Amino acid sequence: DQQVKQNSPSLSVQEGRISILNCDYTNSMFDYFLWYKKYPAEGPTFLISISSIKDKNEDGRFTVFLNKSAKHLSLHIVPSQPGDSAVYFCAAGQGGSEKLVFGKGMKLTVNP
Amino acid sequence: DVKVTQSSRYLVKRTGEKVFLECVQDMDHENMFWYRQDPGLGLRLIYFSYDVKMKEKGDIPEGYSVSREKKERFSLILESASTNQTSMYLCASSSHGTGNEKLFFGSGTQLSVL
């Protein structure tokens, strides 16, 4: 049973436009969420996180929104840049557990 | 900055060989993890360790074992490699905390089993 779902495998946007990456989860015990970015032949790198006590967290061009009632979060990238082209993983964790559960990832392509 | 180092970027092994993947972190993190990444399947947890000599199975431990004799080093062992273990293997570490645990990943080892 997949607890963290990224239902769209890919997204293509034009440079300068907004990229919106979506993630759904099923386990209501998750209380923090993270986004990782991965370039080919490299390990994932942490991008941004949000705690369940918040509904929004912003860091420069990146904003994560959390809708707990819908068990949904999204990552907004504004404006999108070609260097943002990568695979993005959504992950969720539960306080007291050392493990994160990852989604399958979504490939973002930003076209110049 | 945290550094997680995986000993090999690329490995090619034969079916039936015993394979060791090594990972070292330099930030005194308590937790260490082994994931594999496959197209369409994302990151799946194989094993993790939250202390020296401690280990717990992840979601897909079959065919793998691990060793953590020192805090900074976590080894993944494929007892008898099979072709379905061809994958990108990612090591990660994190510190104990009260939440928002952030994983730091190594660059990965692309293993091909022929």
Side-chain angles (χ1 to χ4, degrees):
Chain A
D1 181 32
Q2 198 180 353
Q3 297 186 71
V4 177
K5 301 177 184 179
Q6 294 177 260
N7 292 320
S8 299
S10 62
L11 174 68
S12 183
V13 299
Q14 284 300 119
E15 181 178 7
R17 305 295 291 269
I18 185 171
S19 295
I20 300 176
L21 291 71
N22 293 305
C23 179
D24 297 294
Y25 62 96
T26 58
N27 187 344
S28 58
M29 299 300 290
F30 288 143
D31 55 13
Y32 64 98
F33 305 88
L34 307 91
W35 285 93
Y36 282 80
K37 179 168 76 172
K38 185 182 184 300
Y39 293 117
E42 295 184 13
T45 55
F46 170 75
L47 192 57
I48 193 169
S49 65
I50 188 167
S51 163
S52 61
I53 62 173
K54 295 185 175 182
D55 55 17
K56 177 182 175 181
N57 189 27
E58 195 170 352
D59 184 2
R61 296 186 297 113
F62 302 92
T63 303
V64 57
F65 296 92
L66 175 62
N67 182 335
K68 283 186 294 182
S69 61
K71 294 190 180 69
H72 176 83
L73 64 154
S74 60
L75 173 69
H76 292 209
I77 306 174
V78 183
S80 302
Q81 299 174 353
D84 296 329
S85 297
V87 176
Y88 289 78
F89 290 98
C90 172
Q94 184 178 334
S97 170
E98 310 295 347
K99 296 191 299 181
L100 291 179
V101 179
F102 284 84
K104 293 184 177 182
M106 185 174 86
K107 183 176 182 180
L108 173 67
T109 303
V110 181
N111 300 302
Chain B
D1 277 352
V2 173
K3 192 166 184 182
V4 180
T5 303
Q6 294 183 231
S7 54
S8 304
R9 291 299 300 270
Y10 301 96
L11 274 180
V12 179
K13 296 293 181 181
R14 297 281 181 194
T15 301
E17 279 192 74
K18 190 168 186 176
V19 181
F20 293 85
L21 302 183
E22 306 288 345
C23 176
V24 177
Q25 51 94 2
D26 65 359
M27 282 301 289
D28 202 36
H29 282 169
E30 295 85 2
N31 307 319
M32 296 189 75
F33 305 80
W34 276 105
Y35 287 86
R36 62 179 282 179
Q37 182 198 1
D38 301 287
L41 297 177
L43 296 173
R44 294 182 292 166
L45 180 64
I46 305 170
Y47 266 97
F48 69 102
S49 168
Y50 52 87
D51 202 350
V52 175
K53 297 192 186 294
M54 305 299 288
K55 61 184 179 183
E56 286 199 22
K57 293 179 180 179
D59 301 316
I60 50 165
E62 296 80 17
Y64 303 94
S65 62
V66 290
S67 172
R68 191 155 181 214
E69 296 296 318
K70 293 184 178 181
K71 190 175 185 180
E72 67 270 20
R73 187 179 296 270
F74 192 36
S75 302
L76 179 69
I77 304 153
L78 286 65
E79 297 290 343
S80 177
S82 63
T83 55
N84 63 12
Q85 293 178 309
T86 291
S87 185
M88 167 69 83
Y89 289 87
L90 293 160
C91 175
S93 71
S94 70
S95 61
H96 282 320
T98 56
N100 286 331
E101 267 74 68
K102 192 192 310 182
L103 291 179
F104 294 87
F105 284 88
S107 297
T109 296
Q110 180 63 54
L111 173 67
S112 297
V113 182
L114 306 179

